[in-house]
Amino acid sequence: MIFTVEEINRDNVLLPGVSLGYKVYNGCGSENAIRAALESVNGDDSQGCSGQTLAVIGHSTSGVSDGINSILSALSVPQLSHLSTCACLSDKTRYPTFFRTVPSDRFQSTALVQLMKYFDWRWVGIVFSFGVYADTGTANFVKEAEKEGICVEYRLVYDNTRQHELDVIVEALRKSSSKVVLMFMSSLYAKSFLSKMENFNITGKQWVGSESWITQTDLASPERKHILQGAMGFALPQASIPGLGEFLLSLKPSDEPQSVIIKALWDKFFGCSFSPSNSSTMCTGMEDLQTVSNYYMDVTRFTAENNVYKAVYSVAYALHALLQCQNGLNPTTGKPCVNKDEVFEHLKYVNFTTKNGAKIFFDENGDSVAQYDLVNWQMKRDGSVEIKIVGGYDDSLLAGKKFSLKKDAKIVWGGNTEEMPRSICREPCPPGTQKALNKNKPVCCFDCFECPEGAVSNQTNSPDSLICPPESWHNEKRDQCIPKPTEYLSYNEVMGALLTGFGVIGVFLSLLISTIFFTHKETPIVRSNNSELSFLLLFSLKLCFLCSLTFIGRPTKWSCMLRHTAFSITFVLCISCILGKTLMVLIAFRATLPGSNVMKWFGPVQQRLSVLSSTLIQVVICILWLTINPPFPNLNMHYYKDRIILECALGSAVGFWAVLGYIGLLAVLCFIFAFLARKLPDSFNEAKLITFSMLILCSVWIAFIPAYVSSPGKFTVAVEIFAILASSFGLLISIFAPKCYVIIFRPEQNCKKHIMGKIPPKTL
């Protein structure tokens, strides 16, 4: 302070013609500091303006500054502190005249949070000391940490007078899952705490320190290496002050004979005294400070001294600005006169750059620009420490750029490891899961749940899952929506191939039977009961087998319309032929009765017309169905969640059930007529075969209805194909297999007499 005042007084630009005066008070301890404050403001007014105290520089501790400012604010005397960092002092309602050139702990807390955010330390413990400085700083840290999603596992206070509290801290450190511990303490408490902690084997922790002790190299020792190795924290920036080193090292008692401070320095550094004493030698005053090696002699870089330097210059610039617009003169000396109220007002607006390049101004809370160096403790084998600057924090920069790490920084981590420690309560939720907060736990101890079906998350710690579009579904990891596979009954799969094979076999058997019948068309068994209807029936059965193939393969607009209409028309043609044959059996035996001429009403022409008319009715129903609301290919996304069913929608359900109902009606009529003709006298009564075939057909289609309604996706198509093939095979085998057996294996029975039942069985 003395150096700065003298430097200003020598300046011809700043405060020209005005000399600053000062008085140094002993402020060690709260009582001495308050007494000194009272003495400083009760100056001698006999000399007019020169007797006033215009500003007070100090104190170095926040608690003492609190007490001092309660006195100074009442008298509008500005106070500039160089080391009081408590964020509470920024409250202008309680401390209206308080300014400081050291950053507030509010900025330190923010910087510590940004440090932990940068290294992704989301789960931390806090040990803090008793007192305003640590209590307020810790509270600010917790508040800022919550904004960034950083959680505090424990928050324990250390009081060096209570052993129980230390035991609680040690137990918490041993059992806690957090790897990072914030030690927010004043330097005195830090020294006490570390001296006790060195006796406990607490390892594997990354210690982060507060500004008050993080640069105190005297705390290092071999016994504390397992604690302090790799410790990190923010320190006040070191700066050079031109000329201060030479000034300090050139001090002589003769320069300031009345200075108590210089005499105390001489007594400490050289072990001598300026007054006769039996315990020490007399000081000559010619001792050279440059021969002493200790912390005081390190005059290359300054921290707290730089803040004092800035505080004194702030007062000088406020006075300079005030005098530029001051018209009042001292009535005694004729020189400009100022008072403390005006200095206080002008301090709010100072804005200057010091000789060492520091930019100085105060915000609305009296705080200066917050700048810190990020330091890292790198201890040596002998227990000494080298404190390396590995980064920094500058609150004047834009958000996102305030915290920075040196590109070439070589950081030693806690536990003397080369890998950065991880301190999280829960590993981040990976893609494919969603984050859910547990109300009974801190926000960092969240739960991870797998995304529900049909939803994905492609980010870490995603709070929600995104629902896939209807045509998409999640992949196995549930981190991406992929197109749903389209499913339909194809020729390539086993079921489709089997059904195709049975359909081809049915066509082949129909052709084989047609060939057999054609080669034996003149035989009685073929000619009986209208061979023309038999060949037409075989033709319709071929079409029934072939139309089953239209149900297999990718549905298209035309295939959907073809499959249902072709099946319904060919099946009606088939049953119409059987109905004609059944009526022919009944009428043929009726015609043998005396006086019956019924055959002339149901000859070949009438039979053809009955088949044609029955089939045309079905054709008309199909035309109406295709005209009004035809079947069409449809993407069914509702039956299955993970795939799309490509199916033929019925269009009009009425049309579908109408064609099935008509087929069922003809089948029932055919069954009734065949049942009535089953006992007519004939060695080869075809009505019995038709009755059996109709039983098979009706059974198949009655079972088809519930199976069709309940079968999912492509199995619906498979059920329909199975019903077509089963009923077609039933008709083919029931009606034609016995005849083929007689033609091939019993040709002697293929005669008119046997068919008419006129050959006794014993002669066969």
Side-chain angles (χ1 to χ4, degrees):
M1 186 199 71
I2 296 171
F3 164 79
T4 309
V5 170
E6 292 183 358
E7 182 179 81
I8 293 171
N9 288 338
R10 293 193 302 267
D11 195 324
N12 296 324
V13 178
L14 184 63
L15 294 176
V18 177
S19 295
L20 294 179
Y22 62 87
K23 188 171 184 180
V24 180
Y25 293 90
N26 178 15
C28 186
S30 180
E31 293 182 1
N32 287 337
I34 294 175
R35 188 181 303 111
L38 288 170
E39 291 179 8
S40 67
V41 295
N42 292 327
D44 183 10
D45 281 341
S46 61
Q47 299 182 15
C49 299
S50 60
Q52 293 189 69
T53 297
L54 300 179
V56 173
I57 308 296
H59 193 273
S60 57
T61 60
S62 299
V64 177
S65 289
D66 183 333
I68 291 175
N69 196 258
S70 62
I71 299 171
L72 299 180
S73 292
L75 301 172
S76 298
V77 176
Q79 175 189 359
L80 290 90
S81 174
H82 60 291
L83 278 181
S84 296
T85 59
C86 179
C88 59
L89 295 171
S90 297
D91 185 356
K92 283 303 172 186
T93 58
R94 294 180 59 191
Y95 313 101
T97 65
F98 182 81
F99 298 86
R100 54 182 155 196
T101 52
V102 65
S104 165
D105 282 335
R106 175 171 60 90
F107 299 107
Q108 182 187 187
S109 299
T110 303
L112 289 170
V113 169
Q114 293 302 312
L115 166 69
M116 295 184 181
K117 179 183 176 182
Y118 183 87
F119 292 122
D120 201 28
W121 294 335
R122 302 281 174 175
W123 187 233
V124 301
I126 301 177
V127 179
F128 65 103
S129 59
F130 180 80
V132 176
Y133 164 74
D135 189 42
T136 307
T138 302
N140 285 333
F141 173 83
V142 173
K143 183 179 178 181
E144 293 296 323
E146 289 178 353
K147 296 178 183 178
E148 297 293 347
I150 297 172
C151 303
V152 177
E153 183 181 10
Y154 55 86
R155 182 181 173 187
L156 302 174
V157 63
Y158 169 72
D159 189 339
N160 55 5
T161 62
R162 299 178 182 177
Q163 180 62 33
H164 172 70
E165 292 184 353
L166 180 65
D167 295 338
V168 172
I169 293 172
V170 172
E171 189 69 14
L173 290 171
R174 285 175 173 169
K175 293 185 176 180
S176 64
S177 59
S178 57
K179 301 297 183 183
V180 176
V181 183
L182 173 60
M183 183 175 157
F184 211 116
M185 295 186 181
S186 63
S187 57
L188 290 176
Y189 274 99
K191 187 173 184 178
S192 170
F193 178 73
L194 291 172
S195 65
K196 296 179 180 179
M197 285 299 298
E198 66 186 29
N199 300 317
F200 299 96
N201 187 26
I202 304 295
T203 59
K205 299 292 184 181
Q206 174 66 53
W207 292 84
V208 178
S210 56
E211 170 272 327
S212 61
W213 69 265
I214 198 63
T215 56
Q216 301 296 316
T217 56
D218 59 325
L219 295 177
S221 69
E223 296 77 17
R224 301 173 186 173
K225 187 175 181 180
H226 66 284
I227 301 175
L228 294 175
Q229 176 71 295
M232 301 179 74
F234 288 101
L236 298 177
Q238 294 181 341
S240 62
I241 301 177
L244 178 57
E246 294 79 358
F247 173 81
L248 293 175
L249 295 177
S250 65
L251 286 176
K252 299 290 182 181
S254 57
D255 298 335
E256 296 285 343
Q258 305 302 321
S259 175
V260 178
I261 296 177
I262 294 180
K263 292 179 180 179
L265 284 174
W266 244 250
D267 184 24
K268 181 177 181 180
F269 294 156
F270 300 107
C272 61
S273 174
F274 285 95
S275 57
S277 173
N278 295 327
S279 59
S280 59
T281 60
M282 288 290 293
C283 295
T284 64
M286 300 304 295
E287 291 83 0
D288 189 359
L289 287 174
Q290 297 188 26
T291 62
V292 180
S293 176
N294 58 28
Y295 180 74
Y296 176 82
M297 296 301 112
D298 184 8
V299 294
T300 56
R301 309 292 286 179
F302 299 100
T303 52
E305 296 86 352
N306 189 42
N307 293 333
V308 176
Y309 185 73
K310 292 186 288 187
V312 177
Y313 261 100
S314 298
V315 176
Y317 272 94
L319 283 170
H320 184 80
L322 177 59
L323 294 174
Q324 295 294 317
C325 58
Q326 179 63 262
N327 295 320
L329 299 176
N330 188 320
T332 304
T333 63
K335 294 183 178 181
C337 181
V338 296
N339 59 59
K340 53 186 178 297
D341 295 330
E342 295 171 316
V343 175
F344 166 59
E345 289 299 323
H346 279 75
L347 266 173
K348 298 178 183 178
Y349 307 106
V350 295
N351 193 331
F352 63 95
T353 303
T354 62
K355 292 182 179 181
N356 58 6
K359 185 77 173 176
I360 306 300
F361 62 88
F362 300 103
D363 63 15
E364 65 277 6
N365 297 319
D367 295 324
S368 58
V369 177
Q371 292 178 323
Y372 295 100
D373 288 334
L374 177 63
V375 298
N376 178 225
W377 280 50
Q378 301 182 7
M379 299 189 70
K380 302 175 183 178
R381 291 185 178 180
D382 61 357
S384 62
V385 64
E386 185 177 2
I387 299 178
K388 294 283 187 123
I389 298 176
V390 295
Y393 180 85
D394 189 344
D395 192 67
S396 64
L397 299 178
L398 296 175
K401 297 183 179 180
K402 296 182 179 183
F403 176 80
S404 62
L405 203 65
K406 286 186 176 181
K407 293 182 179 180
D408 58 345
K410 294 182 180 180
I411 300 175
V412 174
W413 302 103
N416 200 26
T417 61
E418 295 182 357
E419 294 184 0
M420 181 186 73
R422 285 178 57 78
S423 187
I424 52 177
C425 180
R426 174 68 186 262
E427 289 291 337
C429 295
T433 62
Q434 64 183 49
K435 177 180 175 182
L437 299 181
N438 190 328
K439 64 180 181 180
N440 298 321
K441 297 179 181 179
V443 293
C444 301
C445 303
F446 47 82
D447 295 320
C448 297
F449 296 100
E450 188 179 51
C451 289
E453 289 189 339
V456 298
S457 65
N458 54 11
Q459 295 179 346
T460 302
N461 283 337
S462 176
D464 299 300
S465 297
L466 302 176
I467 298 176
C468 293
E471 67 277 3
S472 300
W473 193 248
H474 60 74
N475 59 358
E476 185 176 354
K477 294 182 178 180
R478 304 200 180 195
D479 60 357
Q480 186 179 8
C481 290
I482 57 175
K484 290 181 181 178
T486 303
E487 183 181 89
Y488 57 89
L489 187 62
S490 68
Y491 295 100
N492 298 325
E493 57 184 294
V494 176
M495 185 166 55
L498 286 175
L499 293 174
T500 302
F502 282 115
V504 172
I505 291 171
V507 174
F508 173 75
L509 290 177
S510 299
L511 285 171
L512 181 62
I513 293 172
S514 298
T515 303
I516 294 172
F517 267 50
F518 184 76
T519 55
H520 299 82
K521 61 183 178 179
E522 300 300 331
T523 60
I525 200 167
V526 176
R527 295 182 62 185
S528 65
N529 200 4
N530 197 331
S531 61
E532 184 178 340
L533 285 180
S534 296
F535 282 109
L536 185 58
L537 176 58
L538 286 170
F539 173 74
S540 63
L541 284 172
K542 293 187 193 75
L543 294 179
C544 286
F545 285 118
L546 288 173
C547 76
S548 67
L549 302 180
T550 63
F551 287 81
I552 304 174
R554 188 180 185 87
T556 62
K557 177 182 177 181
W558 293 105
S559 68
C560 287
M561 291 191 291
L562 176 64
R563 63 173 58 172
H564 289 98
T565 53
F567 150 71
S568 60
I569 293 172
T570 55
F571 227 76
V572 165
L573 177 61
C574 179
I575 297 176
S576 297
C577 293
I578 296 173
L579 182 60
K581 292 173 72 66
T582 306
L583 291 174
M584 184 64 188
V585 172
L586 280 173
I587 292 172
F589 282 95
R590 289 283 182 182
T592 60
L593 297 175
S596 176
N597 59 351
V598 70
M599 283 302 295
K600 69 177 183 178
W601 298 107
F602 201 73
V605 176
Q606 286 80 8
Q607 292 176 29
R608 297 188 194 101
L609 288 175
S610 66
V611 172
L612 180 62
S613 59
S614 299
T615 306
L616 283 176
I617 293 174
Q618 186 75 310
V619 171
V620 172
I621 295 174
C622 289
I623 291 173
L624 290 174
W625 182 13
L626 296 178
T627 303
I628 298 172
N629 193 1
F632 59 90
N634 177 54
L635 297 174
N636 188 339
M637 303 180 190
H638 306 292
Y639 201 93
Y640 291 111
K641 297 177 181 179
D642 58 343
R643 57 188 184 272
I644 299 173
I645 303 299
L646 181 56
E647 61 184 8
C648 284
L650 297 177
S652 172
V654 175
F656 175 72
W657 292 109
V659 298
L660 285 185
Y662 184 64
I663 293 173
L665 175 63
L666 292 181
V668 170
L669 289 175
C670 190
F671 173 76
I672 293 172
F673 290 142
F675 184 79
L676 293 175
R678 73 189 187 284
K679 293 185 178 181
L680 292 176
D682 193 347
S683 297
F684 199 87
N685 190 349
E686 195 173 27
K688 295 178 182 179
L689 305 179
I690 294 173
T691 303
F692 183 67
S693 67
M694 287 299 105
L695 280 174
I696 295 174
L697 184 143
C698 291
S699 300
V700 168
W701 286 100
I702 289 173
F704 160 79
I705 294 174
Y708 178 83
V709 172
S710 60
S711 297
K714 62 183 180 181
F715 297 103
T716 304
V717 180
V719 166
E720 197 166 356
I721 296 173
F722 177 80
I724 295 171
L725 293 177
S727 56
S728 298
F729 274 113
L731 294 175
L732 182 66
I733 294 172
S734 299
I735 295 175
F736 293 101
K739 294 182 179 182
C740 290
Y741 176 79
V742 171
I743 293 172
I744 297 173
F745 299 106
R746 292 289 188 267
E748 68 277 7
Q749 295 182 6
N750 192 2
C751 62
K752 187 175 181 180
K753 289 183 179 182
H754 178 77
I755 294 173
M756 297 301 294
K758 295 180 179 180
I759 299 177
K762 63 182 179 180
T763 63
L764 294 177

